[in-house]
Amino acid sequence: MSALIGKVAATVLAAAAGTVVALSPASAATAGEPAVDTKIQKATAAQAYAEAQAAATPSQNAYIAVAGPAAQRVQVTYNIPASVTVAQSILESGWGTSGLTSVHKNYFGFKCASPTNPGPIAIGCRNLGTEECTPNCHGTTAYFRVHRSMEDSFRDYGRLLTTSSLYAHALPHRTDPDRFIQEIGWRYATDPNYANKIITLMRDHDLYRFNAPITPEPPAAPPKVRSVVTAGGNQAFGIAPDGHVISTFWSADITTNGGWHDWFRIPTGYADGVAGLNATVTATTLNGTRQLFTVAADGRVISTFWSAGTSTNGGWHKWFPIQGGHNGGVVAPNAVVTALGDQIYSTAPDGRVMSTFWSADITTNGGWHDWFVIPGGAGDGVTAPNSVVTATTLNGAPQLFTTAADGRVISTFWSANTTTNGGWSGWFTIPGGHQDGKTRANSVVGVLGNQLYTTALDGRVMSTFWSANTTTNGGWSGWFTIPTGYADGTTAPNTSVTAATVNGTPQLFTTAPDGHVISTFWSAGTTTNGGWHEWFTIPTGYADGDTAPNSAIGITTLNDQAQLFTIAANGHVISTFWSAQIPTNGGWHEWFPLPGGTDDGLVRV
């Protein structure tokens, strides 16, 4: 399948994944296209390989000097050995001299899925002459992908190898370049010696040196980026200092501790239910049953559910892993699990959003489907370090939001009318407005109805909303800030914005740089600041309401009252609730701790 190897079988790769082919001579090219360099149109694979095996020339060394670092950067994203990327690009592009490469920056001969569909990374398609063997060889034309740069072409290659089922069997061998290309070669090319030729190139030109571990720039956050209490109904969940998931619940029958039960562990099962660093607990209801998700220390998503039929462990099932599929179900460091209906989402080590869903028709893996990625579109759906996937329903369809590597908010939505990518649209950015929609490191996108909230580069809370009357930017307004009041509405590093409806009014909660919880609410009677009240603090009570670094605010409705939960600097969970009967502090009760039980209710900070 290589331009240096000879003629190819057009059926080896599905067109949607991109097919590597050899270009025909210039006489078969589309009118107006530059002639294809006939130097690489060798009659036999033996002639082509002999040239590739020759001692490196200055121009070949120059090619390696550019291709090596580009392949390393792609390795960071896709974890494909850089040595293999460089060697295949050499063989496929004739050291970058083929017409397809020199004119259209297509280093691997990838075709377009259709004349107007170059895929999520390429920028267009060009109709060029080629020769295909099916098995008899004949001249034809085909639409080939056009890339902006070598690096984009290399990224397209990395995406193909990591998303096509044809190469899934090879991915476990990515730490062994020779074995990796051996596993790839028999699917990638019709030449039985293809893998050996790539290995020879890697050895002769010492391309293995580009496989040295690359340490990307560390995230701006400290080692601990989040401490979260999850609340739902009358129950709260957190992570104890030893990593175990702990819980408490409120009951009118409990006359002490404000009605809250002592904290207790939910152990046993996979990894004894111990969560990894920066893991959080996600609680949802599935099949009428409360179910929890978190991330174990080995990066696997684990789950448990409550059942009245379980007589041990407080009614909680043993923790079990949800594995299989993309990367074996292992998620990125500091990843969070998000649930919506019967589907969960997280981020993979390669930065892509990954998902799985539960179905009664699946008889293995606890009913959970293998994990799959949602790629395509802006940045190929690759997210920033420590990013979180927010899932909601907008206009009757599931929609996801997260932050891309460049800090912008990106989104995708599911539609039954989308026949590719599992029904998910290509990721798109929501730019424009305040700081062009760029977020601060480790920001989370909050959603309430048709409006989004997050933190901008300058630390201010910013928002955008969707409207059918907005004909640009996918219906989203330009981002705008919600300033004024306490700390001018600026937030602490690594904080998130919690949005909820309180007393029928949209209300936001976050933490100020001094650690106090601050809030604002929208009112049609407020004629300035876009209808938003000035930010105000919710102080007094335990620790004066000061929170731990990196803490978030959970909210639930308990006894028909809004109740907040967060973490004090000493690690205790603290809470407050709103009541129309409280004439001070904006109607909010003094903060109080929820101690007792496991580790006296201390959580990991």
Side-chain angles (χ1 to χ4, degrees):
M1 295 177 65
S2 165
L4 281 177
I5 289 173
K7 299 173 181 178
V8 301
T11 57
V12 173
L13 288 175
T19 305
V20 183
V21 300
L23 288 177
S24 67
S27 58
T30 302
E33 287 292 324
V36 175
D37 192 338
T38 57
K39 182 177 71 173
I40 68 166
Q41 304 300 326
K42 303 295 185 180
T44 65
Q47 287 176 291
Y49 185 56
E51 184 170 295
Q53 267 192 305
T57 66
S59 63
Q60 290 171 345
N61 285 330
Y63 178 88
I64 291 171
V66 175
Q72 286 181 313
R73 290 188 291 272
V74 170
Q75 182 179 350
V76 171
T77 302
Y78 296 100
N79 199 21
I80 298 298
S83 61
V84 175
T85 304
V86 176
Q88 282 198 265
S89 75
I90 290 170
L91 211 52
E92 300 292 346
S93 73
W95 294 93
T97 63
S98 75
L100 186 61
T101 299
S102 61
V103 177
H104 301 305
K105 306 302 181 197
N106 185 332
Y107 284 76
F108 298 92
F110 288 173
K111 282 182 178 177
C112 291
S114 71
T116 58
N117 182 9
I121 297 177
I123 60 173
C125 302
R126 276 299 180 90
N127 192 18
L128 300 171
T130 186
E131 186 176 71
E132 293 181 346
C133 304
T134 57
N136 297 322
C137 298
H138 57 278
T140 186
T141 61
Y143 283 88
F144 289 85
R145 300 185 193 185
V146 178
H147 294 96
R148 291 187 184 89
S149 63
M150 169 189 280
E151 191 154 331
D152 276 2
S153 182
F154 282 19
R155 286 176 55 231
D156 216 357
Y157 160 85
R159 178 182 179 275
L160 169 67
L161 294 191
T162 54
T163 60
S164 171
S165 60
L166 288 173
Y167 308 113
H169 67 284
L171 298 182
H173 306 292
R174 284 181 283 192
T175 57
D176 182 348
D178 289 7
R179 174 69 183 276
F180 180 71
I181 190 57
Q182 288 168 346
E183 296 294 332
I184 290 290
W186 65 275
R187 280 285 180 87
Y188 197 97
T190 56
D191 181 357
N193 294 316
Y194 185 81
N196 290 333
K197 292 173 181 178
I198 296 297
I199 291 170
T200 300
L201 280 169
M202 291 193 292
R203 291 175 179 173
D204 287 353
H205 298 283
D206 190 24
L207 301 182
Y208 299 106
R209 68 186 186 272
F210 295 113
N211 294 331
I214 303 168
T215 304
E217 289 297 317
K224 296 180 180 179
V225 295
R226 63 179 65 91
S227 300
V228 179
V229 179
T230 303
N234 69 336
Q235 196 154 2
F237 306 90
I239 307 290
D242 65 2
H244 279 103
V245 174
I246 58 174
S247 180
T248 181
F249 59 86
W250 185 91
S251 171
D253 296 329
I254 299 174
T255 57
T256 58
N257 205 26
W260 290 92
H261 191 280
D262 283 350
W263 289 89
F264 56 92
R265 286 188 179 91
I266 305 177
T268 74
Y270 191 86
D272 199 34
V274 174
L277 184 66
N278 296 317
T280 64
V281 184
T282 298
T284 191
T285 299
L286 183 62
N287 302 318
T289 298
R290 175 60 60 90
Q291 189 150 355
L292 307 181
F293 304 91
T294 190
V295 179
D298 64 2
R300 284 186 166 81
V301 174
I302 57 175
S303 181
T304 181
F305 57 87
W306 188 88
S307 171
T310 303
S311 57
T312 58
N313 206 25
W316 291 94
H317 189 277
K318 289 182 178 181
W319 290 92
F320 58 92
I322 302 175
Q323 49 197 353
H326 186 72
N327 208 50
V330 174
V331 299
N334 310 323
V336 170
V337 182
T338 302
L340 180 66
D342 61 357
Q343 195 152 356
I344 58 176
Y345 309 89
S346 193
T347 50
D350 61 10
R352 285 185 172 81
V353 173
M354 54 192 271
S355 180
T356 179
F357 58 86
W358 186 89
S359 171
D361 296 329
I362 299 174
T363 57
T364 58
N365 205 25
W368 291 92
H369 191 276
D370 282 351
W371 289 91
F372 56 92
V373 293
I374 304 176
D380 200 28
V382 175
T383 62
N386 307 325
S387 60
V388 175
V389 182
T390 300
T392 191
T393 300
L394 184 62
N395 300 320
Q399 189 152 354
L400 308 182
F401 304 91
T402 189
T403 49
D406 65 1
R408 286 186 170 86
V409 174
I410 57 175
S411 180
T412 180
F413 58 87
W414 187 89
S415 171
N417 295 325
T418 302
T419 58
T420 57
N421 207 25
W424 291 95
S425 72
W427 289 91
F428 57 92
T429 57
I430 305 178
H434 186 70
Q435 298 191 319
D436 199 27
K438 287 192 175 181
T439 62
R440 190 164 57 180
N442 310 317
S443 292
V444 178
V445 181
V447 62
L448 181 65
N450 67 338
Q451 195 151 355
L452 307 181
Y453 307 90
T454 189
T455 48
L457 287 170
D458 60 8
R460 285 185 167 84
V461 174
M462 63 179 189
S463 179
T464 180
F465 59 87
W466 185 89
S467 170
N469 295 324
T470 302
T471 57
T472 58
N473 206 27
W476 293 93
S477 72
W479 291 90
F480 56 91
T481 57
I482 304 177
T484 75
Y486 193 87
D488 198 30
T490 55
T491 61
N494 306 323
T495 194
S496 58
V497 182
T498 300
T501 299
V502 179
N503 303 319
T505 299
Q507 191 155 353
L508 308 181
F509 305 90
T510 189
T511 50
D514 63 4
H516 278 106
V517 174
I518 59 175
S519 180
T520 181
F521 58 88
W522 187 89
S523 170
T526 303
T527 58
T528 57
N529 206 26
W532 290 94
H533 190 278
E534 291 187 349
W535 290 92
F536 58 92
T537 58
I538 305 177
T540 73
Y542 189 86
D544 197 33
D546 280 346
T547 61
N550 316 317
S551 58
I553 300 160
I555 187 168
T556 189
T557 300
L558 182 62
N559 302 320
D560 296 324
Q561 294 174 322
Q563 190 150 354
L564 305 181
F565 302 86
T566 190
I567 302 169
N570 64 3
H572 273 114
V573 175
I574 58 176
S575 181
T576 182
F577 57 86
W578 187 89
S579 170
Q581 308 302 317
I582 300 175
T584 59
N585 207 24
W588 291 94
H589 190 279
E590 291 185 349
W591 290 93
F592 56 92
L594 274 61
T598 299
D599 292 314
D600 196 31
L602 291 173
V603 296
R604 190 162 59 187
V605 294

